[in-house]
Amino acid sequence: MRHGTRRPGGGGTARFRLVMTSVQPEGLEKNPLVSVVLIAYKRPEYLKITITFILGQTLGDFELIVADNSNSPESARMCRAFDDPRIHYIGREPSLSMVSNARSGMKLAKGKYIANIHDDDVLDAHFLETLIHPMEQDEKVGLVFCDHRIIDADGVEDVAISDQNSKRYGRAGLAEGVLTHRADALFDQAIPTPSGRVFRAGSIDLDEVYERVGLAYDLWMSFLHCKSAFECYYIPTRLMSYRVHAGSATSFGSFKNGNCSPPRASRVVLM
């Protein structure tokens, strides 16, 4: 693995009204700084946890687009119960492919930055604030990603597995900063699951997230970022937790058997 980093030189149906928060002409609603696109499918017990952690972010200037591919009344009621005007629930009927659900959700984003989160992952409170900072400091940075933990169905981390995962994908020894060898980072899959990254709106063409890439849409998005004119920036802190459970395609036991890769392209339940 030759990839390294360098420090940059400078700085459906809407169920809720959106609160927008960036500068617009007087009299118009303001756009949010960040759009969090949460793709969901029939996992309300985890969805509630994920939303709770998103709403607990230290950076509150965001909209939360819940793109529910099951159009679940239970999930809709849950979102309504949060009583937070930043939540924008979209029930898909009929269901879309996972790629279409994610892409269409991201294309609805009004924020300067976009996060694409899965419904069973968990964000640390400082996730958004920390990941947008390099892009706020340097307009040439288009993608920021971080390291992450591996947790089980109950939210308990196995530290040894988290460490093994970071090492296997070249993040353990990767310093904070701009990737200097993006091709190597791409092939080593150093850029993690979608829930571990935030990108600048317009830094890639979302119409190039093609239907045929299927369950590997996140890997394809990594490719689009690596070939873009924008820089990719790594933060070595574990600011996201990737949950492995019976509802995902790979069980937690498979990590203990040596496959320590999060099954990024195999979450078949997120159709």
Side-chain angles (χ1 to χ4, degrees):
M1 292 177 288
R2 300 194 316 276
H3 57 276
T5 57
R6 62 172 173 79
R7 291 288 185 140
T13 301
R15 305 294 175 87
F16 300 97
R17 182 177 61 86
L18 295 181
V19 172
M20 312 295 190
T21 49
S22 67
V23 177
Q24 293 285 344
E26 187 175 354
L28 297 180
E29 287 190 330
K30 296 178 180 179
N31 287 332
L33 182 61
V34 183
S35 293
V36 180
V37 180
L38 176 54
I39 58 173
Y41 185 75
K42 293 184 178 180
R43 292 195 285 229
E45 70 282 5
Y46 291 138
L47 178 62
K48 184 176 182 179
I49 296 171
T50 300
I51 292 177
T52 298
F53 277 89
I54 292 172
L55 296 180
Q57 292 292 297
T58 54
L59 185 149
D61 189 0
F62 63 85
E63 63 175 343
L64 174 56
I65 300 171
V66 181
D68 180 12
N69 215 14
S70 62
N71 193 28
S72 162
E74 181 179 359
S75 294
R77 285 193 299 269
M78 180 195 306
C79 289
R80 192 177 300 114
F82 278 104
D83 193 25
D84 191 309
R86 293 172 296 182
I87 298 176
H88 179 58
Y89 177 85
I90 300 171
R92 305 291 193 191
E93 190 173 8
S95 294
L96 306 175
S97 69
M98 185 179 73
V99 179
S100 292
N101 189 34
R103 181 181 60 237
S104 60
M106 289 185 286
K107 292 181 76 171
L108 289 171
K110 294 180 172 64
K112 182 179 180 181
Y113 307 111
I114 301 173
N116 176 207
I117 310 300
H118 284 182
D119 61 354
D120 52 353
D121 294 330
V122 178
L123 303 183
D124 281 19
H126 296 276
F127 176 86
L128 292 178
E129 180 181 13
T130 303
L131 266 66
I132 71 165
H133 181 73
M135 292 184 285
E136 287 284 271
Q137 295 297 306
D138 187 350
E139 63 182 11
K140 297 188 296 297
V141 177
L143 170 73
V144 181
F145 63 98
C146 63
D147 204 0
H148 59 271
R149 306 176 190 87
I150 304 297
I151 60 174
D152 65 13
D154 298 319
V156 178
E157 180 189 10
D158 187 317
V159 177
I161 292 176
S162 296
D163 291 344
Q164 184 183 4
N165 188 67
S166 299
K167 183 176 180 180
R168 178 173 178 177
Y169 291 97
R171 292 189 296 270
L174 194 59
E176 179 172 347
V178 172
L179 291 180
T180 55
H181 297 284
R182 284 188 275 183
D184 293 310
L186 177 65
F187 288 118
D188 291 333
Q189 300 182 38
I191 302 174
T193 179
S195 298
R197 60 178 93 173
V198 178
F199 66 95
R200 184 184 299 274
S203 60
I204 61 172
D205 185 352
L206 293 174
D207 287 328
E208 292 185 350
V209 184
Y210 303 119
E211 187 70 25
R212 67 186 300 175
V213 303
L215 298 175
Y217 85 93
D218 54 340
L219 300 178
W220 181 256
M221 287 184 66
S222 297
F223 165 72
L224 295 177
H225 284 295
C226 285
K227 80 177 186 69
S228 79
F230 291 85
E231 304 279 10
C232 300
Y233 190 103
Y234 175 61
I235 293 176
T237 311
R238 290 175 182 162
L239 294 170
M240 185 274 288
S241 296
Y242 183 101
R243 190 188 303 272
V244 180
H245 56 93
S248 57
T250 302
S251 69
F252 196 70
S254 69
F255 286 79
K256 295 182 178 180
N257 290 332
N259 176 18
C260 57
S261 168
R264 294 182 242 163
S266 59
R267 289 188 169 196
V268 295
V269 292
L270 279 176
M271 297 299 290

